[in-house]
Amino acid sequence: MPDAGILLLGVALMLVGLVAISSASIEYADINYKSTWFHTIRHLIYMALALSAAFVVYRIPLQFWEQTGWIWLFIALALLILVLIPGVGREVNGSQRWLPLGPFTLQPSEFAKLAMVVYLAGYMVRREHEVRHEWQGFLKPMAVLFAATLLLMVEPDFGATVIVAGSAFGMLFLAGVKLGHFMVVGAGALGALLVLVVSEPYRVKRLTAYTDPWADPYDTGFQLTQSLIAFGRGEWFGVGLGNSVQKLFYLPEAHTDFVFSIWAEETGFIGALAVILLYVALIGRILWVGRAAQLGSQPFGAYVCYGVALVFSGQAFVNMGVSSGLLPTKGLTLPFVSYGGTSLIVCCVMLALVLRIDHSVRHGEVRS
Protein backbone atom coordinates (compact mmCIF):
# COMPACT_ATOMS: atom_id res chain seq x y z
CA MET A 1 0.00 0.00 0.00
CA PRO A 2 1.22 3.56 -0.71
CA ASP A 3 2.36 5.72 2.19
CA ALA A 4 -0.86 7.01 3.77
CA GLY A 5 0.67 10.29 4.94
CA ILE A 6 1.96 11.36 1.53
CA LEU A 7 -1.22 10.17 -0.16
CA LEU A 8 -3.51 12.08 2.21
CA LEU A 9 -1.45 15.27 2.00
CA GLY A 10 -1.47 15.17 -1.80
CA VAL A 11 -5.22 14.52 -1.93
CA ALA A 12 -5.85 17.31 0.60
CA LEU A 13 -3.97 19.82 -1.56
CA MET A 14 -5.86 18.66 -4.66
CA LEU A 15 -9.19 19.13 -2.88
CA VAL A 16 -8.13 22.61 -1.74
CA GLY A 17 -7.30 23.35 -5.36
CA LEU A 18 -10.67 22.09 -6.58
CA VAL A 19 -12.56 24.26 -4.07
CA ALA A 20 -10.36 27.32 -4.71
CA ILE A 21 -10.57 27.03 -8.50
CA SER A 22 -14.34 26.47 -8.41
CA SER A 23 -14.80 29.63 -6.38
CA ALA A 24 -12.23 31.80 -8.17
CA SER A 25 -13.34 30.95 -11.71
CA ILE A 26 -17.16 31.14 -11.45
CA GLU A 27 -17.65 34.69 -12.76
CA TYR A 28 -14.80 34.46 -15.26
CA ALA A 29 -16.17 31.22 -16.70
CA ASP A 30 -19.71 32.60 -16.84
CA ILE A 31 -18.68 35.68 -18.80
CA ASN A 32 -16.15 34.06 -21.15
CA TYR A 33 -17.55 30.54 -21.64
CA LYS A 34 -21.26 30.95 -20.74
CA SER A 35 -20.86 28.13 -18.22
CA THR A 36 -20.40 28.81 -14.52
CA TRP A 37 -18.65 25.50 -13.89
CA PHE A 38 -16.52 25.41 -17.06
CA HIS A 39 -13.16 25.44 -15.27
CA THR A 40 -14.40 23.20 -12.46
CA ILE A 41 -15.48 20.48 -14.90
CA ARG A 42 -12.22 20.72 -16.83
CA HIS A 43 -10.24 20.56 -13.60
CA LEU A 44 -12.13 17.43 -12.56
CA ILE A 45 -11.13 15.89 -15.91
CA TYR A 46 -7.52 16.92 -15.25
CA MET A 47 -7.72 15.33 -11.79
CA ALA A 48 -8.96 12.07 -13.27
CA LEU A 49 -6.15 12.06 -15.86
CA ALA A 50 -3.58 12.98 -13.22
CA LEU A 51 -4.65 10.23 -10.84
CA SER A 52 -4.69 7.68 -13.68
CA ALA A 53 -1.18 8.68 -14.74
CA ALA A 54 -0.02 8.52 -11.12
CA PHE A 55 -1.42 5.00 -10.74
CA VAL A 56 0.44 3.82 -13.84
CA VAL A 57 3.71 5.41 -12.69
CA TYR A 58 3.37 3.89 -9.23
CA ARG A 59 3.17 0.40 -10.76
CA ILE A 60 6.43 0.81 -12.73
CA PRO A 61 9.69 -0.33 -11.05
CA LEU A 62 12.29 2.34 -10.33
CA GLN A 63 14.86 0.62 -12.52
CA PHE A 64 12.81 1.63 -15.57
CA TRP A 65 13.05 5.33 -14.72
CA GLU A 66 16.74 5.11 -13.85
CA GLN A 67 17.56 3.47 -17.18
CA THR A 68 15.35 5.70 -19.35
CA GLY A 69 16.05 9.12 -17.84
CA TRP A 70 17.91 10.31 -20.92
CA ILE A 71 14.91 9.39 -23.11
CA TRP A 72 12.55 11.56 -21.05
CA LEU A 73 15.06 14.41 -21.20
CA PHE A 74 15.27 14.07 -24.99
CA ILE A 75 11.47 14.14 -25.25
CA ALA A 76 11.32 17.21 -23.00
CA LEU A 77 13.90 19.09 -25.09
CA ALA A 78 12.07 18.09 -28.29
CA LEU A 79 8.80 19.44 -26.90
CA LEU A 80 10.52 22.67 -25.82
CA ILE A 81 11.76 23.10 -29.39
CA LEU A 82 8.42 22.13 -30.91
CA VAL A 83 6.50 24.73 -28.90
CA LEU A 84 8.70 27.49 -30.37
CA ILE A 85 7.86 26.64 -34.00
CA PRO A 86 5.49 29.27 -35.45
CA GLY A 87 2.07 27.82 -36.12
CA VAL A 88 2.66 24.89 -33.76
CA GLY A 89 3.00 26.51 -30.34
CA ARG A 90 0.17 28.66 -29.01
CA GLU A 91 1.01 32.20 -27.89
CA VAL A 92 -0.84 33.67 -24.90
CA ASN A 93 -0.03 37.07 -23.38
CA GLY A 94 3.20 37.34 -25.35
CA SER A 95 4.55 33.91 -24.33
CA GLN A 96 4.62 30.82 -26.56
CA ARG A 97 4.44 28.07 -23.94
CA TRP A 98 1.59 25.77 -24.97
CA LEU A 99 1.04 23.01 -27.51
CA PRO A 100 -2.63 22.67 -28.53
CA LEU A 101 -3.98 19.12 -28.31
CA GLY A 102 -7.59 19.39 -29.43
CA PRO A 103 -9.67 20.87 -26.59
CA PHE A 104 -6.67 20.74 -24.23
CA THR A 105 -3.15 22.13 -24.18
CA LEU A 106 0.24 20.73 -23.14
CA GLN A 107 2.83 22.91 -21.38
CA PRO A 108 6.28 21.41 -22.13
CA SER A 109 8.00 23.42 -19.39
CA GLU A 110 6.11 21.42 -16.76
CA PHE A 111 7.22 18.13 -18.29
CA ALA A 112 10.80 19.47 -18.44
CA LYS A 113 10.88 19.79 -14.63
CA LEU A 114 10.05 16.10 -14.23
CA ALA A 115 12.44 15.00 -16.98
CA MET A 116 15.33 17.01 -15.54
CA VAL A 117 14.84 15.52 -12.07
CA VAL A 118 14.74 11.91 -13.37
CA TYR A 119 17.69 12.43 -15.73
CA LEU A 120 19.90 14.12 -13.14
CA ALA A 121 19.11 11.48 -10.52
CA GLY A 122 20.23 8.73 -12.89
CA TYR A 123 23.30 10.69 -14.02
CA MET A 124 24.46 11.32 -10.45
CA VAL A 125 24.23 7.60 -9.67
CA ARG A 126 26.14 6.55 -12.80
CA ARG A 127 28.79 9.30 -12.50
CA GLU A 128 29.01 9.60 -8.73
CA HIS A 129 32.81 9.85 -8.57
CA GLU A 130 32.99 12.36 -11.44
CA VAL A 131 30.27 14.54 -9.96
CA ARG A 132 31.94 14.68 -6.56
CA HIS A 133 35.58 15.05 -7.57
CA GLU A 134 36.00 16.24 -11.16
CA TRP A 135 35.04 19.37 -13.07
CA GLN A 136 33.75 17.43 -16.07
CA GLY A 137 31.33 15.46 -13.91
CA PHE A 138 29.75 18.76 -12.83
CA LEU A 139 29.94 20.58 -16.16
CA LYS A 140 28.26 17.84 -18.23
CA PRO A 141 24.84 18.23 -16.53
CA MET A 142 25.38 22.00 -16.58
CA ALA A 143 25.54 21.84 -20.39
CA VAL A 144 22.23 19.95 -20.46
CA LEU A 145 20.74 22.43 -18.01
CA PHE A 146 21.94 25.35 -20.14
CA ALA A 147 20.19 23.92 -23.22
CA ALA A 148 16.92 23.46 -21.33
CA THR A 149 16.98 26.90 -19.69
CA LEU A 150 17.87 28.55 -23.00
CA LEU A 151 14.79 27.03 -24.65
CA LEU A 152 12.65 28.07 -21.68
CA MET A 153 13.88 31.66 -21.90
CA VAL A 154 13.09 31.85 -25.62
CA GLU A 155 9.39 31.10 -24.88
CA PRO A 156 9.87 33.12 -22.53
CA ASP A 157 9.15 31.35 -19.21
CA PHE A 158 11.34 32.95 -16.57
CA GLY A 159 9.55 31.26 -13.68
CA ALA A 160 10.08 27.74 -15.04
CA THR A 161 13.70 28.62 -15.77
CA VAL A 162 14.28 29.53 -12.13
CA ILE A 163 12.63 26.33 -10.86
CA VAL A 164 14.45 23.99 -13.29
CA ALA A 165 17.83 25.63 -12.65
CA GLY A 166 17.31 25.91 -8.89
CA SER A 167 16.22 22.29 -8.46
CA ALA A 168 19.11 21.05 -10.64
CA PHE A 169 21.68 23.02 -8.63
CA GLY A 170 20.10 21.81 -5.40
CA MET A 171 20.26 18.16 -6.49
CA LEU A 172 23.91 18.48 -7.52
CA PHE A 173 24.76 20.14 -4.22
CA LEU A 174 23.07 17.34 -2.28
CA ALA A 175 24.94 14.81 -4.43
CA GLY A 176 28.19 16.11 -2.94
CA VAL A 177 29.84 18.27 -5.63
CA LYS A 178 32.89 20.19 -4.48
CA LEU A 179 31.91 23.45 -2.85
CA GLY A 180 34.43 25.39 -4.96
CA HIS A 181 33.00 24.01 -8.20
CA PHE A 182 29.48 24.73 -7.02
CA MET A 183 30.27 28.32 -5.98
CA VAL A 184 31.99 29.19 -9.26
CA VAL A 185 29.22 27.85 -11.48
CA GLY A 186 26.53 29.14 -9.10
CA ALA A 187 28.00 32.66 -9.23
CA GLY A 188 28.05 32.48 -13.03
CA ALA A 189 24.42 31.32 -13.11
CA LEU A 190 23.40 34.10 -10.75
CA GLY A 191 25.15 36.66 -12.95
CA ALA A 192 23.37 35.28 -16.02
CA LEU A 193 20.08 35.50 -14.14
CA LEU A 194 20.64 39.17 -13.38
CA VAL A 195 21.49 39.85 -17.02
CA LEU A 196 18.27 38.13 -18.09
CA VAL A 197 16.28 40.28 -15.68
CA VAL A 198 17.66 43.61 -16.93
CA SER A 199 17.69 42.57 -20.60
CA GLU A 200 13.89 42.66 -20.96
CA PRO A 201 11.93 45.86 -20.21
CA TYR A 202 8.88 43.95 -18.96
CA ARG A 203 10.99 42.16 -16.33
CA VAL A 204 12.46 45.47 -15.19
CA LYS A 205 8.93 46.88 -14.90
CA ARG A 206 7.88 43.89 -12.81
CA LEU A 207 10.88 44.41 -10.53
CA THR A 208 10.18 48.11 -10.01
CA ALA A 209 6.46 47.41 -9.51
CA TYR A 210 7.37 44.80 -6.90
CA THR A 211 9.46 47.27 -4.88
CA ASP A 212 6.59 49.79 -4.73
CA PRO A 213 3.36 48.49 -6.33
CA TRP A 214 1.33 51.41 -4.94
CA ALA A 215 3.40 53.90 -6.97
CA ASP A 216 1.47 52.78 -10.09
CA PRO A 217 -1.53 50.80 -8.83
CA TYR A 218 -3.47 51.03 -12.11
CA ASP A 219 -0.74 49.80 -14.47
CA THR A 220 2.50 48.00 -13.57
CA GLY A 221 1.49 47.45 -9.95
CA PHE A 222 -2.15 46.57 -10.66
CA GLN A 223 -1.94 42.78 -10.26
CA LEU A 224 0.10 42.91 -7.06
CA THR A 225 -1.99 45.62 -5.41
CA GLN A 226 -5.19 43.69 -6.14
CA SER A 227 -3.59 40.55 -4.70
CA LEU A 228 -2.58 42.43 -1.54
CA ILE A 229 -6.12 43.78 -1.21
CA ALA A 230 -7.37 40.18 -1.34
CA PHE A 231 -5.02 39.22 1.50
CA GLY A 232 -6.12 42.24 3.51
CA ARG A 233 -9.82 41.53 3.07
CA GLY A 234 -9.32 37.97 4.34
CA GLU A 235 -8.16 39.09 7.80
CA TRP A 236 -8.13 36.16 10.26
CA PHE A 237 -10.96 33.89 9.12
CA GLY A 238 -11.81 35.13 5.62
CA VAL A 239 -14.97 36.45 4.01
CA GLY A 240 -16.32 32.93 3.37
CA LEU A 241 -16.04 30.50 0.47
CA GLY A 242 -17.53 32.01 -2.68
CA ASN A 243 -17.67 35.54 -1.23
CA SER A 244 -14.46 36.94 -2.72
CA VAL A 245 -14.73 40.36 -4.31
CA GLN A 246 -11.27 40.35 -5.92
CA LYS A 247 -12.19 37.44 -8.20
CA LEU A 248 -14.83 39.67 -9.85
CA PHE A 249 -12.34 40.79 -12.53
CA TYR A 250 -10.25 42.89 -10.14
CA LEU A 251 -7.45 40.32 -9.86
CA PRO A 252 -6.21 38.90 -13.20
CA GLU A 253 -5.41 35.15 -13.35
CA ALA A 254 -7.44 34.61 -10.18
CA HIS A 255 -7.86 30.86 -10.80
CA THR A 256 -4.31 30.17 -12.01
CA ASP A 257 -1.21 31.99 -10.75
CA PHE A 258 -3.05 34.01 -8.07
CA VAL A 259 -5.46 31.38 -6.77
CA PHE A 260 -3.73 31.51 -3.37
CA SER A 261 -4.76 35.16 -3.01
CA ILE A 262 -8.42 34.27 -3.50
CA TRP A 263 -8.07 31.36 -1.08
CA ALA A 264 -6.54 33.73 1.50
CA GLU A 265 -9.35 36.24 0.95
CA GLU A 266 -12.08 33.64 1.43
CA THR A 267 -10.51 31.60 4.25
CA GLY A 268 -8.30 34.23 5.89
CA PHE A 269 -4.97 33.84 7.63
CA ILE A 270 -6.07 30.52 9.13
CA GLY A 271 -6.90 29.01 5.75
CA ALA A 272 -3.69 30.31 4.17
CA LEU A 273 -1.63 28.96 7.07
CA ALA A 274 -3.34 25.58 6.76
CA VAL A 275 -2.27 25.31 3.10
CA ILE A 276 1.30 26.33 3.98
CA LEU A 277 1.41 23.66 6.70
CA LEU A 278 0.16 21.06 4.21
CA TYR A 279 3.10 21.89 1.94
CA VAL A 280 5.56 21.83 4.82
CA ALA A 281 4.29 18.42 5.92
CA LEU A 282 4.32 17.02 2.36
CA ILE A 283 7.80 18.28 1.52
CA GLY A 284 9.14 17.12 4.88
CA ARG A 285 7.69 13.66 4.31
CA ILE A 286 9.22 13.50 0.80
CA LEU A 287 12.63 14.43 2.21
CA TRP A 288 12.21 11.74 4.88
CA VAL A 289 11.54 9.15 2.15
CA GLY A 290 14.62 10.41 0.31
CA ARG A 291 16.77 10.02 3.40
CA ALA A 292 15.40 6.52 3.99
CA ALA A 293 16.22 5.61 0.36
CA GLN A 294 19.77 6.89 0.80
CA LEU A 295 20.26 4.87 3.97
CA GLY A 296 18.75 1.87 2.17
CA SER A 297 21.37 2.04 -0.61
CA GLN A 298 18.93 3.39 -3.19
CA PRO A 299 20.67 6.59 -4.32
CA PHE A 300 18.53 7.04 -7.43
CA GLY A 301 15.36 7.08 -5.34
CA ALA A 302 16.96 9.45 -2.86
CA TYR A 303 17.97 11.94 -5.56
CA VAL A 304 14.53 11.79 -7.17
CA CYS A 305 12.91 12.56 -3.81
CA TYR A 306 15.27 15.48 -3.22
CA GLY A 307 14.54 16.83 -6.70
CA VAL A 308 10.77 16.52 -6.27
CA ALA A 309 10.97 18.24 -2.88
CA LEU A 310 13.00 21.08 -4.42
CA VAL A 311 10.50 21.53 -7.26
CA PHE A 312 7.47 21.52 -4.97
CA SER A 313 9.03 23.79 -2.34
CA GLY A 314 10.45 26.16 -4.94
CA GLN A 315 7.17 26.55 -6.80
CA ALA A 316 5.10 26.87 -3.63
CA PHE A 317 7.47 29.48 -2.19
CA VAL A 318 7.62 31.51 -5.41
CA ASN A 319 3.87 31.38 -6.04
CA MET A 320 2.97 32.38 -2.48
CA GLY A 321 5.78 34.92 -2.42
CA VAL A 322 4.52 36.56 -5.60
CA SER A 323 0.92 36.58 -4.35
CA SER A 324 1.91 38.23 -1.05
CA GLY A 325 4.36 40.73 -2.54
CA LEU A 326 7.46 39.01 -1.19
CA LEU A 327 8.79 38.32 -4.71
CA PRO A 328 8.47 40.03 -8.13
CA THR A 329 5.53 38.91 -10.26
CA LYS A 330 6.13 35.84 -12.43
CA GLY A 331 3.88 33.13 -13.78
CA LEU A 332 4.18 29.92 -11.75
CA THR A 333 1.46 27.54 -10.69
CA LEU A 334 0.90 26.48 -7.09
CA PRO A 335 1.50 22.68 -7.07
CA PHE A 336 -1.73 20.62 -6.88
CA VAL A 337 -3.79 23.79 -6.33
CA SER A 338 -3.62 26.12 -9.37
CA TYR A 339 -5.70 25.49 -12.48
CA GLY A 340 -3.68 23.79 -15.21
CA GLY A 341 -3.82 20.25 -16.54
CA THR A 342 -0.14 19.70 -17.35
CA SER A 343 0.97 21.06 -13.99
CA LEU A 344 -1.46 18.85 -12.07
CA ILE A 345 -0.55 15.71 -14.03
CA VAL A 346 3.19 16.29 -13.59
CA CYS A 347 2.77 16.97 -9.86
CA CYS A 348 0.80 13.75 -9.39
CA VAL A 349 3.35 11.76 -11.40
CA MET A 350 6.17 13.19 -9.26
CA LEU A 351 4.29 12.23 -6.10
CA ALA A 352 3.67 8.74 -7.51
CA LEU A 353 7.42 8.36 -8.05
CA VAL A 354 8.00 9.26 -4.40
CA LEU A 355 5.36 6.72 -3.34
CA ARG A 356 7.06 4.08 -5.49
CA ILE A 357 10.42 4.91 -3.90
CA ASP A 358 8.88 4.59 -0.45
CA HIS A 359 7.42 1.22 -1.48
CA SER A 360 10.83 0.10 -2.74
CA VAL A 361 12.54 1.12 0.50
CA ARG A 362 9.97 -0.57 2.74
CA HIS A 363 10.01 -3.80 0.71
CA GLY A 364 13.76 -3.91 0.27
CA GLU A 365 13.86 -3.73 -3.52
CA VAL A 366 17.41 -3.67 -4.86
CA ARG A 367 18.88 -2.13 -7.97
CA SER A 368 19.39 -4.42 -10.91
Side-chain angles (χ1 to χ4, degrees):
M1 285 291 293
D3 181 272
I6 294 177
L7 197 60
L8 289 174
L9 289 167
V11 170
L13 285 169
M14 289 177 69
L15 292 177
V16 167
L18 179 62
V19 173
I21 289 166
S22 299
S23 175
S25 66
I26 285 178
E27 296 299 327
Y28 181 84
D30 189 37
I31 295 295
N32 291 277
Y33 299 98
K34 310 303 180 186
S35 173
T36 303
W37 304 107
F38 176 83
H39 292 96
T40 303
I41 293 171
R42 285 176 70 94
H43 193 70
L44 284 169
I45 295 173
Y46 293 147
M47 288 177 66
L49 292 173
L51 292 173
S52 300
F55 176 78
V56 172
V57 169
Y58 178 75
R59 303 296 297 177
I60 299 174
L62 285 181
Q63 289 79 8
F64 171 81
W65 302 104
E66 184 174 355
Q67 294 166 6
T68 60
W70 65 274
I71 297 177
W72 302 110
L73 179 66
F74 178 80
I75 294 173
L77 292 175
L79 290 173
L80 289 174
I81 294 172
L82 189 64
V83 77
L84 298 174
I85 299 176
V88 177
R90 177 180 295 176
E91 183 175 333
V92 179
N93 296 329
S95 297
Q96 197 159 322
R97 306 176 185 175
W98 295 269
L99 288 171
L101 299 174
F104 302 101
T105 55
L106 172 69
Q107 192 169 359
S109 60
E110 295 293 337
F111 182 74
K113 298 170 189 174
L114 170 63
M116 186 63 70
V117 167
V118 173
Y119 167 76
L120 278 180
Y123 174 84
M124 292 187 297
V125 172
R126 293 190 303 271
R127 306 287 184 178
E128 181 179 4
H129 180 80
E130 283 187 28
V131 169
R132 294 186 175 184
H133 302 285
E134 300 177 17
W135 265 110
Q136 63 179 11
F138 186 38
L139 293 178
K140 285 177 183 177
M142 287 297 100
V144 174
L145 179 63
F146 175 77
T149 53
L150 180 63
L151 291 170
L152 288 170
M153 289 306 303
V154 174
E155 292 186 4
D157 193 341
F158 189 69
T161 302
V162 171
I163 296 300
V164 170
S167 58
F169 272 98
M171 289 177 69
L172 288 164
F173 180 79
L174 292 171
V177 299
K178 283 188 175 181
L179 186 59
H181 295 174
F182 184 84
M183 294 296 288
V184 170
V185 177
L190 183 60
L193 192 67
L194 293 174
V195 171
L196 289 172
V197 170
V198 300
S199 64
E200 289 288 348
Y202 83 92
R203 294 195 192 108
V204 176
K205 284 184 177 180
R206 283 184 174 183
L207 185 61
T208 54
Y210 148 74
T211 56
D212 186 11
W214 301 101
D216 190 7
Y218 297 108
D219 189 12
T220 56
F222 180 78
Q223 198 166 27
L224 180 52
T225 55
Q226 296 303 316
S227 180
L228 293 175
I229 290 171
F231 276 93
R233 292 192 75 252
E235 298 185 354
W236 283 99
F237 299 102
V239 297
L241 289 174
N243 294 328
S244 167
V245 171
Q246 293 305 104
K247 70 183 180 184
L248 304 178
F249 305 100
Y250 289 103
L251 178 60
E253 311 296 341
H255 62 293
T256 54
D257 299 339
F258 282 82
V259 70
F260 185 67
S261 303
I262 303 301
W263 176 261
E265 182 184 4
E266 295 189 343
T267 63
F269 173 79
I270 301 301
L273 180 62
V275 170
I276 293 173
L277 291 176
L278 285 175
Y279 279 112
V280 171
L282 178 63
I283 293 162
R285 183 63 183 170
I286 292 172
L287 290 173
W288 186 90
V289 172
R291 179 60 176 165
Q294 198 164 32
L295 293 174
S297 300
Q298 296 193 26
F300 174 76
Y303 293 141
V304 168
C305 286
Y306 297 152
V308 170
L310 287 166
V311 171
F312 285 171
S313 59
Q315 280 201 213
F317 175 76
V318 171
N319 182 281
M320 294 177 183
V322 167
S323 299
S324 59
L326 181 64
L327 297 172
T329 303
K330 57 180 61 65
L332 266 179
T333 57
L334 188 59
F336 299 103
V337 176
S338 291
Y339 179 79
T342 310
S343 174
L344 183 60
I345 291 170
V346 168
C347 286
C348 287
V349 166
M350 284 184 170
L351 205 60
L353 275 173
V354 174
L355 289 170
R356 181 67 199 194
I357 292 164
D358 177 71
H359 176 274
S360 300
V361 172
R362 288 189 288 110
H363 290 79
E365 291 183 13
V366 295
R367 295 171 57 200
S368 59

